[in-house]
Amino acid sequence: MSRSTFCRYLRWISFSVWDLAFAVGSGACSGDDLYREQRETSSMTSLAPLVKRISPAVVGIRGWGVPSEPRIFDPEAGVPDPPLLREWQGAGVIVDALAGLIVTANHLVANATVVKALLWDGRALSAAVLVRSERDDVALLRIEADDLHALTLEKPGALDVGEPVLAVANPQNWGQSVTSGIVSALHRSCPGIANGDLVQSDVLVDQGSSGGALVNLEGRMIGVIVARRGGFAFAAPVEAVERLFVAAQ
């Protein structure tokens, strides 16, 4: 091999190694950029900041009382059996922090003589029932407390089918839980509730979710969960809550 040929060969090798190193380095940078973009996208779509903001406004509700259904008659004793004390458990939503107003499902407090609100920070406070609506299955309560957090109501008519929503409630008495889904339908009815203008969504709810909040991704409450049927949750719309405000005045 001549001297000139050998030098050209060395130059070719050096250029090839440099090109390979540049390509590998560029690939690594592209990978970092892709990872960074994925991480930023994940952060942007995380619901954790929203949940932290709205969770303190959702409380546990417990009511104790005697059901209104007829008592069982014991023919041997000749008198009706004594009434049995019953407990109802669900959730509620603080809608006015200064006045201590809480909206919940009416069926949780309709027959209760004692009602307690269990706050996010562990406080258990007595709640007074101000007004109830059997038609909408919602009720307005009041507590005496400081340092409360409230949810803002969404404007009536601002809700669309397909809109993402969160449900914040107290299923199975496990403590506060959050599930997500979409608005499945509007102007729905559900057996046992006279209001035929309910919001239907596919959020996961269970026994104990009644009275919980249905919230949009702006953190505004769009409804109060009042029933579940066929895998769907049904919520009384904000119009029902506003009617409670009017009735309480």
Side-chain angles (χ1 to χ4, degrees), residues 51 54-61 90-95 102-105 108 138 149-153 164-171 176-181 199 201 203-205 208-216 219-227 233-238 241:
V51 171
I54 64 179
S55 290
V58 180
V59 304
I61 295 293
V93 187
I94 301 173
V95 289
I102 298 174
V103 64
T104 187
L108 296 177
V138 290
H149 302 271
L151 288 188
T152 301
L153 299 184
V165 290
L166 299 179
V168 188
N170 185 26
Q176 190 178 99
S177 297
V178 181
T179 57
S180 64
V199 179
S201 65
V203 293
L204 180 63
V205 296
S209 295
S210 292
L214 195 64
V215 183
N216 61 21
R220 299 187 183 95
M221 189 172 75
I222 61 175
V224 181
I225 300 170
V226 292
F234 294 85
V238 292
V241 179

Side-chain angles (χ1 to χ4, degrees), residues 107-133:
H107 65 264
L108 296 177
V109 299
N111 294 299
T113 54
V114 176
V115 179
K116 293 284 187 179
L118 311 178
L119 274 59
W120 171 265
D121 57 11
R123 286 179 288 176
L125 304 176
S126 297
V129 180
L130 298 182
V131 61
R132 302 187 295 107
S133 171

Side-chain angles (χ1 to χ4, degrees), residues 51-81:
V51 171
K52 289 180 181 179
R53 180 159 56 91
I54 64 179
S55 290
V58 180
V59 304
I61 295 293
R62 287 188 176 180
W64 293 268
V66 178
S68 59
E69 57 261 23
R71 293 183 290 173
I72 300 174
F73 181 76
D74 183 354
E76 294 183 0
V79 296
D81 288 340

Side-chain angles (χ1 to χ4, degrees), residues 24 26 156 199 202 247:
V24 172
S26 299
V199 179
D202 67 349

